[in-house]
């Protein structure tokens, strides 16, 4: 399943790159892209684990940039 989400309070391109790299490593993720310019997260992941993966992605984003939020 491939979905796109808006992000809020993504303040740094380097942080976006860190988030993207960490999300890509999650089990079940086929592809992830975090765009600082458009403030979007695009993620392609296993349908059966999608919600769990999104929870993990949100935790990664908060760890890298505490005020960053993925709007679901």
């Amino acid at each position: 399943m491939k979905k796109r989400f808006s992000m809020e309070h993504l303040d740094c391109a380097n942080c976006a790159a860190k988030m993207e790299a960490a999300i890509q490593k999650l089990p079940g993720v086929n592809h992830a892209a975090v765009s600082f310019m458009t403030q979007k997260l695009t993620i392609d992941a296993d349908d059966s684990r999608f919600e769990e993966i999104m929870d993990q992605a949100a935790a990664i984003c908060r760890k890298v940039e505490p005020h960053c939020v993925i709007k679901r």
Side-chain angles (χ1 to χ4, degrees), residues 49-63:
R49 299 187 57 223
F50 201 84
E51 284 304 314
E52 176 189 348
I53 290 167
M54 286 307 300
D55 291 342
Q56 292 172 337
I60 288 168
C61 291
R62 282 192 305 274
K63 184 176 180 182

